[in-house]
Amino acid sequence: MVRSTLFQSATDPRTARRKWIGGRLKTRGEIRIDAGARRAIEKGASLLPAGVTDVWGDFVRGDAVLVLDENGLRIGCGLASFGAVEMRSVIGRRSEEIEQIWICVPSGGD
């Protein structure tokens, strides 16, 4: 017989992850979004490039970033799926346009 203690979480894993991202990570940049993106986020959707209107800071994929609405008010914090350089190249673009944009952008290494 193994002796152990089970600790029950007061919140579900998704809520706990959101609290961790929103309150414990140092942010590396800011993303400003339009009103449509704000409404989508408030309903639980992910932020798409089409809703991004501006990017500040120097961050890489996985860094925590502040999300600001069109008036500059903080609406949340999230983990960046793109670095700042890549995000600036896709501001306001629809998801299906992104692959074509990156095919045309030189990588700088060649």
Side-chain angles (χ1 to χ4, degrees), residues 86 102 105-110:
E86 294 86 5
W102 283 342
V105 174
S107 65
D110 295 336

Side-chain angles (χ1 to χ4, degrees), residues 5-19:
T5 303
L6 176 64
F7 293 95
Q8 292 283 5
S9 174
T11 61
D12 65 275
R14 186 174 182 177
T15 301
R17 179 174 165 82
R18 286 182 175 178
K19 287 182 180 179

Side-chain angles (χ1 to χ4, degrees), residues 12 15 22 36 64 75 91 103:
D12 65 275
T15 301
I75 62 164
I91 287 175
I103 291 171

Side-chain angles (χ1 to χ4, degrees), residues 24-75:
R24 301 285 188 255
L25 298 179
K26 179 178 166 87
T27 57
R28 303 283 181 200
E30 298 177 355
I31 299 170
R32 187 168 290 200
I33 62 172
D34 63 23
R38 180 182 178 139
R39 285 190 299 275
I41 288 173
E42 288 171 344
K43 292 179 182 176
S46 295
L47 176 61
L48 298 175
V52 175
T53 60
D54 209 350
V55 175
W56 291 284
D58 185 23
F59 54 89
V60 297
R61 181 178 187 200
D63 280 347
V65 293
L66 286 176
V67 180
L68 309 173
D69 71 7
E70 62 276 9
N71 298 313
L73 299 174
R74 178 186 170 152
I75 62 164

